[in-house]
Amino acid sequence: MSQQTARRGGAAWALVITSVAGFMAALDNLVVTTALPSIREDLGGGLHDLEWTVSAYTLTFAVLLMFGAALGDRFGRRRLFIAGLAVFTGASAAAAMAPGIDSLIAARAIQGVGAAVMMPLTLTLLTAAVPVAKRGMAYGIWGAVNGLAVASGPLVGGTLTEHISWQWIFWLNVPLGLALLPLARLRLAESHGTGAPLDIPGTLLASGGLFGIVYGLVRGPVDGWTGSLVLTGLFAGSALLAGFILYSTRAKNPMLPMRLFRSRAFAGINAASLLMFLGMFGSIFLLSQYMQGVLGYSPTEAGLRMLPWTGMPMLVAPIAGILADRIGGRPVVATGLFLQALGLGYMAVVATTDASYGSQLPALIVSGIGMALYFAPASHLVMSSVRPSEQGIASGANNALREVGGALGIAVMASIFAAQGGYETGQTFVDGMRPALVTGSAVVALAGIAALLIPTRRRAERQKDPAEAAPVLETAAH
């Protein structure tokens, strides 16, 4: 296959194509946040509609992420990558042309489907095209581009919304997608996985369970927590997820093997990842609206003022990587999560209707440093917690749990916000946001405690078989 790869353009083209595709998928996680006030003004809708504008993407993305990787392994990674990219590009155009909030939410859900097929295949296609000796550098570049997408999401969304229109946060994907489609067809080599059968029952159970729970959380503040549809969603979703866990312990080729969670390292880093994204995404969802709707910043100004938080990983991540190499990933990740929790708690204390940016800046910086300390070594902890043959499954599971955490975080914290405050005045917004941020802080602190459950590096190495103790090549996380 190496000859075929070289004939199509080799590692350089694969790195460019997969990095740009990953950038597009990662950008759409947060690019919408600073545009929410403008979308609400233009298309109408309440808080639950704004939640679904973000969560419709993250939820379908999270639920189908591992299924998308399995489809590529079975039917051809390049073929499914191109299909996912085409769906994502078309749904982006549909979102830009959406005449109402419901059609926008539907387009965002389809975007998530395309991203779920496209995103996990970027790393497998890159791995197939890059020689072993150069994969570390390639993964680093891929990860840096994805980090840039996360960092610049609020700023890009704010700038396009203010100076052109909110529709351009979606139109931006269209020329990039149209350029990548022929390049992927001509410059990427086809590859397949083991050909294991698809886990259709597991996908249906997980999808239905997550949808039911998120639906109940989103509709609870609107319809009342005792409403029949809300209770049905919560209970049915919980039952389906329990069924998914039970099924996965017995299935021959499950989408997510439950035996992986017998490893304290794997269980600890995945619990920390889910809780971290739950607290972080829910906070960004509210803070981006607070800066515009209460403090009066323009979308661009709000995006720029979020950079000390969202952009800090680009500066601190290399230092965090060096620290992790010297003292192990566990203390670095745990410290980062506790700093993130401290920053959110501080923001809840200083948030008022006329808070100065100077009073918020320490909280944003502390949160940003915490985020950076978490991101840098987290992927290596995931990869090193399983056998080399299970790293693909482990990476997909970790990325899926992060996205699920983001979707749940927006639903949970928006529910707290709606119960304690609202959009009526600046003060009611602050009244609702403060307890939500406190909750986010507590959840991220729990993530720090989960990280402390990860075995130390020496203990983990002693527990490994000699054949499995060889260094594992770190894979960049989404």
Side-chain angles (χ1 to χ4, degrees), residues 4-37:
Q4 185 183 11
T5 302
R7 191 165 60 243
R8 290 183 177 277
W13 274 112
L15 181 58
V16 170
I17 294 167
T18 58
S19 294
V20 174
F23 179 91
M24 292 165 61
L27 185 72
D28 272 55
N29 262 324
L30 289 176
V31 72
V32 177
T33 54
T34 44
L36 289 175

Side-chain angles (χ1 to χ4, degrees), residues 191-235:
S191 63
H192 295 78
T194 60
L198 300 175
D199 183 15
I200 302 297
T203 301
L204 293 175
L205 287 169
S207 304
L210 290 170
F211 179 82
I213 289 175
V214 173
Y215 177 86
L217 290 171
V218 170
R219 295 300 304 180
V222 181
D223 299 339
W225 293 104
T226 57
S228 58
L229 287 178
V230 172
L231 291 176
T232 299
L234 293 174
F235 285 115

Side-chain angles (χ1 to χ4, degrees), residues 66-67 199 202-203 206 244-251 253-261 266 270 390 392-398 400-401:
M66 287 183 287
F67 187 60
D199 183 15
T203 301
F244 170 72
I245 294 171
L246 182 62
Y247 164 83
S248 297
T249 60
R250 301 178 178 179
N253 294 293
M255 180 174 67
L256 178 58
M258 291 295 118
R259 58 180 168 76
L260 294 180
F261 291 94
F266 185 80
N270 278 284
E390 297 172 329
I393 295 173
S395 177
N398 184 255
L401 287 172

Side-chain angles (χ1 to χ4, degrees), residues 67-105:
F67 187 60
L71 285 173
D73 286 346
R74 186 167 179 82
F75 299 111
R77 291 162 179 161
R78 185 190 66 184
R79 179 184 301 170
L80 266 294
F81 172 81
I82 291 172
L85 178 60
V87 170
F88 181 86
T89 304
S92 297
M97 296 184 291
I101 193 70
D102 291 336
S103 55
L104 175 61
I105 292 170

